[in-house]
Amino acid sequence: MMMISWIFLVIGLHAQPAYNQCLKDQQSLLLAFKNDLVYDPSSQIAKWNPSVDCCDWGGITCDKEGHVTGLDLSSQNVYGSINDSSSLFGLEFLQSLNLAYNDFDSLLGFSKLTQRLTYLNLSNAYSEGQLPVDFSLITSLVTLDLSLAARNVYMVYLDHLENLVQNLTELRHLYLDYINILAHNNWAGVISSSLPNLQVLSLTSCGLRGSLDSSLGNLKHLSVILLDGNNFSSGIPESLADLQNLTVLSLPGCDLTGLLPSKIFQVPTLKTIDLSGNEMLQGALPDSVGALELENLDLSGCGFSGPIPDSMQTLTSLRYLDLSANRFTGPIPSFQLSKNHLVWVNFYQNNLTGGIPSSHWEGFDTLEYLNLASNYLTGRFPESFLTLKSLRELHLSNNSFSGNINDPSNVSSYYKLNTMDLSSNKFEGPIPGFIFKLAALSTLKLSSNKFTGRVDLHMFGRLKELQALDLSYNNLTVSVDRSESASASLSQISTLKLASCYMQHFPDLNLDLSYNQLSGEIPNWIWEVF
Ligand SMILES: *[C@@H]1O[C@H](CO)[C@@H](O)[C@H](O)[C@H]1NC(C)=O
Ligand SMILES: *[C@@H]1O[C@H](CO)[C@@H](O)[C@H](O)[C@H]1NC(C)=O
Ligand SMILES: *[C@@H]1O[C@H](CO)[C@@H](O)[C@H](O)[C@H]1NC(C)=O
Ligand SMILES: *[C@@H]1O[C@H](CO)[C@@H](O)[C@H](O)[C@H]1NC(C)=O
Ligand SMILES: *[C@@H]1O[C@H](CO)[C@@H](O)[C@H](O)[C@H]1NC(C)=O
Ligand SMILES: *[C@@H]1O[C@H](CO)[C@@H](O)[C@H](O)[C@H]1NC(C)=O
Ligand SMILES: *[C@@H]1O[C@H](CO)[C@@H](O)[C@H](O)[C@H]1NC(C)=O
Ligand SMILES: *[C@@H]1O[C@H](CO)[C@@H](O)[C@H](O)[C@H]1NC(C)=O
Ligand SMILES: *[C@@H]1O[C@H](CO)[C@@H](O)[C@H](O)[C@H]1NC(C)=O
């Protein structure tokens, strides 16, 4: 996404500075255009003032001669209809037109802008009906954005893709997200034969079916492929590995099948690979993955297996890594070289084994989410986890971690951890004292371990954000301070599970029960006290 906005930033910089006066005819065309529209008083267009040079109006760019070359009224609460008779189309020097995020009832007549228009952005500028195909006549177009937001899904449809793109041979950036493309047979063939210069192809949730055709590999300038949420029921063609400038390959939830060609992981320019949610897609990560400059890798919910290659240790720019819900085996390599970038790491539900050396997770100052749950991991609790200053969620449940958890005296108060789930492991010894210093903690699950010793329930009252606490199925003796202030301090907890804890006194929680929907598994005998 960074890259996409960069491309358009560069285009934006090409706009000429407005150092000449607006030509009279240009000004009257703009005022006539304004007259035909309805707009919010706060909108830029409302402030267009005839006594000010029109090249200085909000949203207007001019060339040296005073012709209007750019019009950007995106997100300006403009309504109305644009059609053949609109004075907009008298602006024959227009190169860039952005009317995105407004609400027009009709958008017709754009074929009149055939001479110079290179950038046309009507994203979310309309909300229903058949997409007019007269855009197909603007053969000068380099960028065409007709995309919609998800909320409008399938309210706008395009009957034949080829009627739109056939003659747009200069097009480099095409965005049709959430437009329902009806005749979708051979969509890939149509695109690859019509748009030889294409760099960005964004067709998220267009209802495309039919295979991801190998002809896409012929579009040799292709850099960004965003086809999320279509239904291809096919494999990923190896020809995509021929794309020398491919940076983003995003195909989540596309019903992809078969074996992912491992050559894909040899495209040196790739920064983002998202193949998540393709249950039938299989493969293994080849060693070559470590030679990429990957920033985002999401293979969650697929059928990948085999080890996570050690070569991934050489990745230096990884930000987002999600391999959850696959069948990966073996140990988790170190990602130390990416420690200044990683924000999200998810290995949930695989067949990973081995321990987690504490040194592997030192200094990941940007890491916010770490999920190693539901694997076969063993060994001690890595103390370095307690030094991760941005961490918000730590999930280690359903593994075979064991031993005492050390209690470092210096856990920092800036700690952001709000969820810690250590349940269903073999941790033993006392509940470590640092837990009571985690000021942001709202969910704490320690159930089904071998924690021992005595714990005072009111200690948890120090955790002002705590909403869910599960201490069940350990060997804990939970004692309760009967004073009113102690029970009041627990009043924010809405889920309390103490099954199979040794309780010496009934916690004086009747106030909490009435006001805080205390729920969950608490020992049956509690109810007899009422
Ligand atoms: C064309 O647009 C003008 C100005 O918005 C509007 O008054 C007119 O009704 C439109 N004509 C059609 C046929 O929609
Ligand atoms: C279209 O305009 C919207 C709103 O300004 C912007 O978010 C989007 O990135 C633009 N699309 C392209 C392809 O430039
Ligand atoms: C594409 O151009 C050809 C030749 O100019 C023309 O015959 C055809 O109608 C055009 N197709 C579309 C969809 O505009
Ligand atoms: C790949 O990108 C580079 C840098 O943007 C560019 O110079 C080169 O021409 C591109 N190659 C292809 C095949 O598009
Ligand atoms: C995708 O298409 C296949 C074959 O047409 C069909 O069996 C499957 O249900 C579709 N999946 C979705 C999510 O629509
Ligand atoms: C993963 O572990 C499960 C349970 O031990 C086992 O049945 C399965 O064969 C393993 N899968 C792989 C790919 O190792
Ligand atoms: C525990 O993890 C294993 C391995 O991923 C998984 O098969 C099993 O369903 C998990 N059990 C629970 C209760 O989540
Ligand atoms: C606590 O102190 C030890 C030893 O001085 C140090 O290695 C560790 O990083 C510190 N932990 C935190 C959370 O500051
Ligand atoms: C529970 O803890 C007590 C000491 O607090 C110990 O004597 C006993 O053996 C433990 N029971 C189990 C099943 O671990």
Side-chain angles (χ1 to χ4, degrees), residues 44-104:
Q44 266 179 348
I45 194 171
K47 295 172 189 144
W48 287 0
N49 177 349
S51 63
V52 172
D53 188 299
C54 81
C55 293
D56 292 333
W57 291 354
I60 304 295
T61 313
C62 295
D63 64 11
K64 287 185 232 171
E65 283 77 38
H67 302 116
V68 172
T69 55
L71 175 55
D72 182 351
L73 288 176
S74 57
S75 307
Q76 294 298 318
N77 296 313
V78 179
Y79 314 88
S81 74
I82 294 178
N83 57 43
D84 282 344
S85 58
S86 175
S87 30
L88 173 67
F89 301 124
L91 296 166
E92 53 183 332
F93 290 85
L94 213 51
Q95 292 168 19
S96 172
L97 176 59
N98 190 346
L99 300 175
Y101 293 95
N102 289 296
D103 194 2
F104 295 99

Side-chain angles (χ1 to χ4, degrees), residues 145-426:
D145 187 347
L146 301 174
S147 63
L148 299 168
R151 71 188 152 81
N152 292 323
V153 67
Y154 300 153
M155 298 280 280
V156 175
Y157 59 94
L158 171 62
D159 58 355
H160 281 89
L161 188 59
E162 63 242 69
N163 289 353
L164 177 67
V165 301
Q166 203 173 56
N167 290 343
L168 300 181
T169 51
E170 301 298 316
L171 211 59
R172 290 190 212 148
H173 318 114
L174 176 63
Y175 297 81
L176 300 176
D177 309 82
Y178 295 102
I179 289 175
N180 192 6
I181 297 177
L182 298 177
H184 36 63
N185 285 342
N186 193 28
W187 64 272
V190 167
I191 296 233
S192 56
S193 59
S194 313
L195 307 175
N197 297 306
L198 204 63
Q199 294 173 1
V200 177
L201 175 62
S202 189
L203 303 178
T204 293
S205 291
C206 289
L208 297 173
R209 278 148 207 271
S211 72
L212 198 57
D213 196 89
S214 63
S215 64
L216 284 176
N218 301 338
L219 295 171
K220 59 177 188 288
H221 305 294
L222 212 49
S223 165
V224 175
I225 299 179
L226 297 165
L227 295 170
D228 312 19
N230 290 292
N231 183 354
F232 299 131
S233 315
S234 77
I236 296 183
E238 193 170 67
S239 66
L240 294 186
D242 300 334
L243 299 171
Q244 284 176 10
N245 273 0
L246 191 62
T247 56
V248 176
L249 180 61
S250 188
L251 298 165
C254 287
D255 269 290
L256 295 167
T257 58
L259 210 59
L260 176 72
S262 65
K263 270 182 77 181
I264 298 287
F265 292 102
Q266 291 171 22
V267 181
T269 44
L270 267 173
K271 298 210 180 326
T272 293
I273 301 177
D274 184 351
L275 303 175
S276 59
N278 289 294
E279 278 172 52
M280 306 293 280
L281 185 67
Q282 297 178 350
L285 282 171
D287 285 340
S288 62
V289 68
L292 306 181
E293 284 170 39
L294 270 186
E295 291 168 10
N296 306 294
L297 178 60
D298 190 346
L299 302 179
S300 59
C302 295
F304 282 81
S305 54
I308 300 172
D310 268 346
S311 66
M312 288 188 85
Q313 297 192 21
T314 59
L315 294 171
T316 55
S317 312
L318 208 51
R319 268 189 82 252
Y320 183 101
L321 175 63
D322 196 333
L323 302 182
S324 62
N326 280 283
R327 294 190 295 274
F328 286 108
T329 52
I332 296 174
S334 163
F335 293 93
Q336 269 291 323
L337 295 182
S338 288
K339 71 177 175 191
N340 296 324
H341 301 281
L342 266 173
V343 171
W344 181 280
V345 173
N346 193 350
F347 291 117
Y348 168 71
Q349 210 171 62
N350 278 286
N351 279 23
L352 300 170
T353 52
I356 308 292
S358 188
S359 61
H360 282 190
W361 293 94
E362 271 164 16
F364 286 71
D365 288 346
T366 51
L367 193 63
E368 293 176 14
Y369 182 93
L370 180 57
N371 192 338
L372 308 180
S374 290
N375 280 287
Y376 300 95
L377 299 168
T378 53
R380 303 289 297 268
F381 178 90
E383 229 174 280
S384 54
F385 285 175
L386 301 176
T387 65
L388 304 175
K389 54 182 169 194
S390 303
L391 197 65
R392 291 172 198 278
E393 293 194 28
L394 177 62
H395 299 268
L396 302 181
S397 65
N398 188 22
N399 278 291
S400 295
F401 290 111
S402 60
N404 285 35
I405 299 181
N406 285 349
D407 192 8
S409 54
N410 55 350
V411 171
S412 312
S413 55
Y414 53 66
Y415 218 67
K416 296 192 179 123
L417 201 64
N418 64 46
T419 301
M420 182 152 92
D421 186 354
L422 307 183
S423 60
S424 301
N425 277 287
K426 296 171 182 163

